[in-house]
């Protein structure tokens, strides 16, 4: 630590840090545009010029390292005049169209121009005009004349998203930010460029011209999509969700969110929304009142139980549902005498020891990993924010290795990739285990080819470094021999001192296990239920045609039941259902998601339910009361939460596996959902469905991206 003087105050700061960092520590604000705490230093806007004693001219605070005894003045006449001069230059070519700018009211340039800009301009020449550009359905570049060339968007692409989609072309007054030869912006994190743009050059295309920032109320929430559990700020006007932006949480999502977290809100007001209960009568759907619909469901379930027994009833829930909803769905099913409750619709191996499978480490720790082995995952598309963490680990010198059916472009250098058909993944992992055993001297649990060049390279990588992790992706979790993969991963982890865990598929994959939304002794798992044979099926926020491993066959099998009840925010499963109950999406209900690291995050509804839709936990509570299931006297969501989620969630997390390893090949590929087909919300978000990822979900690049 060294001591400097900042605006007359003595402060201790880390040696080598910049004046900007020292000012942040001291609580002193220095105006800036190009500086961002998560990006590298560019020092090209010059707005942060400060007065450093003995320096011949004002110095940029973001790029000037502190030295012992340095005296810095951020508010002296010299510093203020320098900042005012920079502001005058920045406004020379700016169109000054604040009244019609979509960024008006939350624009950094607008805010600082009030304090540092002049009342009139001395510039009389013609302002430059930059042609608008169409870069896709999410980010608008219609007003690039407003750009001040801070290059935040360029650096974000290079350093965070891992793919340089934007760059600066030409020089001087002709310089402009654009894509390469008219290409679109296709990153799964592209919406973050909108947030970090300090002016109105990059704006949200779906939100554009729909509301002013001061008209919006801001409410906290949690993403219902992948297992990261990204924290959100949902912005609302007139009881309608208008925009979703990130809520900063360094331990979870930092200050970023994936595009599906940001733009899936479009589905909330789609024409497909279910706003009233519906019954199928004589092959035609008719709207009915809640009492009629609930009585139909209750009588139907009681009739099936009386005629066929309780084991003829089953419930299939979505891991995107809240922990409270899944707990009540499980309690209702068991209250009827059935153990047929599951959320693992895409799985093929259902061996389970009652513990919740999880990441095996914290989300934040992924950034500091030195060695990683990813098994069965296109991590960039499956979990974009976790991939971003791994990307930072690689930038810090870490090595990422992969075992996959093909070489994906993860927008980061991958040290070693073992490409094997999914049918042979267990053998491929056994080869890596054998190679690790050859290095450590331990006997591998099963026979493997320790002489495989790819296996040896991965084994050598894993035995180096200190902080290590073996991460199983969605395809590994859904594999027909998922237990064998986990057993081998655990052995390799023990030999290399690596943590072992699952990246996690959905927002509540861990939560569903924690609250017991799994079949107990004698109960059918999701695979068995989806094969047919049940007489009554309750579908909670799920669509078998899209969410199951073999969607078409699963939907047909479920449709053979005497009664199918769908609880959904949308008009879903209409071809196989007998009754539709409108439930609230995450924005219209309270609940809890438990992310892949076992972090329970509760949230409240941000708008009132649309039409006659009701929170699913209330619908299930009423059904439980009508069916005389004991323990359904809940009045508030907090009462349900206290019953559903144990105080110590971490005690229920374990990736231990006692299954024996079977290396014989298996038929079929593990089920996997494309990035914008993961759940009912993203499937119905128009802008997301226009993206390149939605149009080409199965395309995999054969080359590895760079940083």
């Amino acid at each position: 630590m060294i001591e400097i003087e900042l605006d007359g105050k003595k402060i201790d700061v880390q040696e080598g840090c910049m004046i900007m960092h020292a000012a942040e520590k001291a609580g002193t604000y220095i105006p800036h545009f190009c500086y961002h705490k998560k990006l590298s230093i560019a020092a090209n806007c010059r707005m942060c010029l400060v007065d450093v004693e003995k320096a011949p001219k004002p110095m940029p605070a973001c790029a000037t390292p502190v030295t012992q005894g340095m005296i810095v003045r951020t508010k002296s006449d010299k510093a203020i005049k320098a900042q005012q001069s920079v502001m005058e230059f920045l406004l020379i070519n700016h169109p000054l169209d604040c009244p019609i700018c979509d960024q008006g009211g939350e624009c950094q340039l607008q805010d600082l121009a009030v304090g540092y800009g002049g009342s009139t301009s001395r510039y009389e020449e013609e302002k430059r005009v930059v042609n608008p550009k169409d870069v896709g359905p999410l980010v608008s570049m219609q007003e690039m004349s407003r750009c001040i060339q801070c290059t935040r968007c360029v650096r974000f692409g290079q350093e965070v998203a891992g793919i340089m989609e934007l760059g600066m072309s030409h020089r001087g007054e002709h310089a402009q930010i654009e894509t390469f030869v008219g290409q679109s912006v296709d990153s799964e994190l592209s919406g973050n460029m909108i947030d970090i743009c300090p002016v109105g050059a990059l704006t949200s295309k779906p939100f554009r011209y729909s509301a002013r920032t001061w008209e919006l109320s801001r409410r906290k929430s949690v993403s219902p999509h992948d297992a990261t559990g990204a924290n959100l700020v949902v912005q609302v006007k007139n009881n309608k969700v208008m925009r979703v932006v990130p809520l900063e949480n360094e331990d979870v999502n930092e200050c970023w969110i994936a595009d599906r977290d940001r733009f899936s809100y479009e589905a909330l007001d789609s024409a497909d929304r279910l706003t009233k209960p519906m019954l199928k009568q004589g092959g035609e759907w008719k709207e009915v009142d809640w009492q009629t619909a609930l009585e139909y469901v209750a009588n139907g379930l009681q009739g099936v139980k009386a005629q066929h027994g309780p084991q003829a009833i089953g419930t299939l829930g979505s891991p995107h549902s809240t922990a409270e909803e899944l707990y009540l769905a499980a309690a209702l099913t068991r209250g009827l005498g059935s153990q047929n409750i599951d959320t693992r619709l895409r799985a093929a191996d259902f061996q389970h020891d009652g513990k919740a499978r999880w990441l095996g480490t914290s989300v934040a720790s992924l950034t500091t990993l030195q060695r990683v082995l990813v098994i069965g995952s296109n991590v960039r598309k499956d979990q974009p924010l976790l991939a971003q963490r791994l990307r930072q680990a690689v930038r810090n010198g870490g090595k990422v290795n992969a075992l996959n059916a093909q070489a994906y472009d993860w927008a980061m250098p991958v040290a070693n990739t073992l490409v094997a058909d999914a049918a042979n993944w267990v053998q491929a992992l056994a080869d890596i285990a054998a190679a690790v055993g050859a290095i450590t001297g331990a006997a591998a649990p099963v026979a493997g080819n320790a002489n495989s060049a790819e296996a040896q390279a991965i084994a050598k990588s894993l035995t180096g470094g200190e902080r290590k992790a073996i991460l199983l992706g969605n395809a590994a979790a859904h594999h027909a021999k998922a237990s064998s993969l986990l057993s081998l991963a655990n052995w390799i982890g023990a030999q290399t001192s690596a943590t072992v865990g699952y990246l996690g598929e959905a927002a509540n994959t861990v939560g569903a296990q924690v609250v017991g939304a799994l079949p107990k002794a004698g109960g059918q798992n999701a695979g068995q239920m989806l094969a047919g044979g049940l007489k009554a099926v309750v579908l909670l926020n799920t669509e078998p045609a899209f969410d199951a491993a073999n969607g078409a066959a699963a939907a047909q099998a479920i449709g053979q039941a005497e009664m199918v009840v769908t609880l959904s925010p949308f008009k879903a499963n209409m071809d196989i259902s007998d009754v539709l109950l409108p439930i609230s999406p995450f924005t219209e209900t309270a609940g809890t998601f438990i992310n892949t690291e076992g972090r329970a995050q509760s949230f409240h509804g941000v708008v009132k339910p649309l039409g006659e839709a009701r929170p699913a936990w209330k619908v299930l509570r009423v059904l439980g009361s009508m069916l005389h299931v004991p323990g359904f006297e809940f009045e508030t969501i907090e009462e349900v939460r206290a019953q559903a989620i144990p105080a110590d969630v971490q005690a229920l997390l374990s990736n231990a596996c006692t299954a024996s390893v079977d290396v014989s090949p298996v038929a079929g590929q593990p089920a996997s959902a494309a990035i914008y087909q993961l759940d009912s919300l993203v499937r119905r978000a128009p802008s997301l469905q226009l993206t390149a990822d939605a149009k080409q979900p199965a395309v995999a690049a054969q080359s590895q991206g760079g940083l």
Side-chain angles (χ1 to χ4, degrees):
M1 301 291 283
I2 61 175
E3 184 180 79
I4 69 167
E5 182 182 309
L6 183 72
D7 290 339
K9 296 179 182 177
K10 302 279 188 181
I11 58 171
D12 293 326
V13 294
Q14 193 73 36
E15 186 175 4
C17 78
M18 302 299 162
I19 294 175
M20 182 72 80
H21 302 143
E24 286 179 348
K25 180 181 178 182
T28 299
Y29 177 74
I30 297 176
H32 60 273
F33 293 113
C34 68
Y35 170 78
H36 190 282
K37 63 182 179 181
K38 293 292 183 181
L39 303 177
S40 62
I41 292 169
N44 54 6
C45 78
R46 318 307 282 185
M47 191 64 208
C48 64
L49 293 176
V50 293
D51 180 8
V52 178
E53 192 167 281
K54 296 182 181 178
K57 58 184 179 181
M59 305 294 289
C62 68
T64 305
V66 297
T67 57
Q68 176 65 39
M70 176 184 277
I71 299 175
V72 180
R73 302 180 184 90
T74 67
K75 297 177 175 62
S76 67
D77 287 343
K78 185 177 180 180
I80 296 296
K81 286 179 179 177
Q83 292 161 357
Q84 288 174 339
S85 296
V86 169
M87 177 60 71
E88 185 175 20
F89 279 115
L90 287 174
L91 294 177
I92 276 178
N93 276 307
H94 199 77
L96 302 179
D97 56 351
C98 297
I100 64 160
C101 179
D102 225 35
Q103 195 88 332
E106 53 185 5
C107 172
Q108 211 171 330
L109 181 66
Q110 188 181 48
D111 293 342
L112 292 179
V114 173
Y116 298 91
S119 57
T120 58
S121 173
R122 294 183 289 172
Y123 187 76
E124 297 178 353
E125 286 75 11
E126 186 175 333
K127 289 177 180 280
R128 75 168 194 161
V129 175
V130 179
N131 292 330
K133 301 165 183 66
D134 185 1
V135 295
L138 305 180
V139 180
S140 172
M141 295 180 71
Q142 288 298 302
E143 286 90 12
M144 291 306 292
S145 297
R146 300 171 185 160
C147 178
I148 59 172
Q149 285 90 44
C150 72
T151 69
R152 278 187 182 183
C153 55
V154 178
R155 284 175 285 144
F156 170 83
Q158 288 178 292
E159 299 163 16
V160 180
I163 176 170
M164 186 176 174
E165 296 181 290
L166 295 178
M168 183 177 288
S169 61
H170 310 299
R171 302 180 67 180
E173 69 171 1
H174 301 293
Q176 57 179 291
I177 301 293
E178 59 184 339
T179 59
F180 180 73
V181 196
Q183 291 182 347
S184 57
V185 172
D186 299 323
S187 167
E188 61 284 350
L189 299 173
S190 65
N192 294 292
M193 296 179 183
I194 300 166
D195 292 335
I196 62 175
C197 181
V199 296
L202 301 180
T203 53
S204 168
K205 191 170 281 189
F207 172 72
R208 190 172 160 81
Y209 296 145
S210 59
R212 287 297 197 178
T213 181
W214 53 84
E215 300 173 323
L216 304 173
S217 56
R218 292 158 174 78
R219 294 156 191 177
K220 297 178 184 178
S221 192
V222 178
S223 168
H225 304 302
D226 64 43
T228 309
N231 290 199
L232 310 176
V233 174
V234 182
Q235 300 185 347
V236 177
K237 177 184 177 184
N238 296 334
N239 202 49
K240 180 179 178 181
V241 175
M242 305 299 293
R243 183 168 61 170
V244 175
V245 295
L247 175 64
E248 187 170 345
N249 186 332
E250 280 297 312
D251 293 332
V252 181
N253 57 298
E254 299 176 270
C255 56
W256 318 119
I257 55 175
D259 285 350
R260 63 183 168 200
D261 302 328
R262 184 183 302 272
F263 297 109
S264 66
Y265 74 88
E266 285 188 295
L268 298 172
D269 294 294
S270 73
D272 210 19
R273 274 300 297 270
L274 180 65
T275 57
K276 290 185 178 181
M278 299 181 74
L279 279 179
K280 186 184 287 183
Q281 298 176 335
E284 293 187 6
W285 284 102
K286 296 183 179 179
E287 294 182 348
V288 296
D289 59 69
W290 268 105
Q291 187 67 26
T292 301
L294 291 173
E295 286 177 355
Y296 177 90
V297 173
N299 293 336
L301 292 175
Q302 286 174 328
V304 168
K305 179 181 178 180
Q307 186 174 356
H308 303 285
Q311 286 305 314
I313 301 171
T315 300
L316 291 166
S318 167
H320 300 277
S321 299
T322 67
E324 294 84 353
E325 292 166 359
L326 292 170
Y327 170 79
L328 290 176
L332 177 64
T333 307
R334 294 192 172 105
L336 290 169
S338 172
Q339 290 293 340
N340 305 334
I341 169 75
D342 210 345
T343 61
R344 299 165 295 172
L345 275 67
R346 294 190 179 96
D349 180 350
F350 294 92
Q351 295 186 59
H352 205 279
D353 58 3
K355 296 282 190 175
R357 306 289 193 225
W358 68 301
L359 186 63
T361 184
S362 68
V363 168
S365 70
L366 297 181
T367 308
T368 64
L369 291 175
Q370 296 175 338
R371 298 291 186 273
V372 186
L373 171 59
V374 179
I375 303 169
S377 173
N378 184 3
V379 62
R380 176 182 167 191
K381 302 299 181 182
D382 292 344
Q383 293 92 7
L385 293 174
L386 299 187
Q388 186 274 133
R389 293 274 190 180
L390 294 179
R391 200 169 290 123
Q392 301 314 309
V394 173
R395 288 180 60 82
N396 293 330
K399 303 292 184 184
V400 172
N401 306 279
L403 166 58
N404 265 318
Q406 57 194 51
Y408 294 105
D409 179 3
W410 287 349
M412 69 178 94
V414 177
N416 303 286
T417 301
L418 200 169
V419 176
D421 189 272
N424 300 312
W425 279 357
V426 180
Q427 182 61 62
L429 196 57
D431 294 347
I432 296 173
V436 169
I439 295 173
T440 63
V446 291
N449 180 14
N451 296 320
S452 164
E454 295 92 342
Q456 285 182 340
I458 293 175
K460 184 177 179 181
S461 176
L462 288 176
T463 51
E466 295 179 359
R467 297 180 296 278
K468 293 171 270 193
I470 299 173
L471 303 172
L472 294 98
N474 294 351
H478 300 152
H479 197 272
K481 293 187 176 177
S483 297
S484 293
L485 291 173
L486 179 58
S487 292
L488 279 170
N490 280 331
W491 187 88
I492 296 171
Q495 295 299 314
T496 59
S497 301
T499 62
V500 177
Y502 286 93
L503 290 166
E505 178 187 20
N508 227 7
T509 298
V510 173
Q513 300 170 73
V514 167
V515 302
L518 297 167
K520 293 184 179 177
Q524 294 185 33
N525 59 47
Q528 293 167 324
M529 286 189 273
L530 290 168
L534 294 177
K535 299 301 181 181
V537 183
V538 178
L539 300 174
L540 173 60
N541 200 25
T542 190
E543 301 171 77
F546 301 102
D547 296 331
N550 187 343
Q556 185 177 8
I558 292 294
Q560 301 302 312
E562 293 179 9
M563 185 176 76
V564 179
V565 182
T566 291
L567 289 80
S568 174
F570 302 100
K571 295 174 182 175
N573 307 322
M574 296 188 77
D575 54 336
I576 62 173
S577 298
D578 298 289
V579 57
L580 301 180
L581 302 180
I583 61 171
S584 303
F586 80 107
T587 52
E588 299 170 15
T589 186
T592 304
F593 292 135
I594 302 178
N595 76 350
T596 189
E597 69 175 3
R599 180 187 296 262
Q601 300 183 108
S602 298
F603 56 92
H604 296 286
V606 299
V607 293
K608 296 176 182 177
L610 187 65
E612 293 183 22
R614 294 293 179 266
W617 73 268
K618 291 187 177 182
V619 177
L620 293 166
R621 181 198 63 186
V622 173
L623 273 175
S625 299
M626 294 175 72
L627 290 164
H628 308 292
V629 177
F632 267 71
E633 299 78 24
F634 301 107
E635 294 294 330
T636 65
I637 189 71
E638 287 76 19
E639 292 178 15
V640 183
R641 186 175 301 139
Q643 189 75 23
I645 304 174
D648 186 6
V649 171
Q650 295 292 320
L652 297 178
L653 306 180
S654 173
N655 294 317
C657 184
T658 57
S660 58
V661 177
D662 179 4
V663 297
S664 60
V666 292
Q669 295 291 319
S672 184
I675 183 171
Y676 298 136
Q677 291 293 323
L678 183 64
D679 58 69
S680 60
L681 279 174
V682 295
R683 286 194 284 264
R684 292 171 171 84
S687 296
L688 292 178
Q689 295 306 317
L690 293 173
T691 61
D693 277 328
K695 293 174 183 175
Q696 299 175 328
V699 171
Q702 296 303 313
S703 61
Q704 300 298 339
L707 292 178

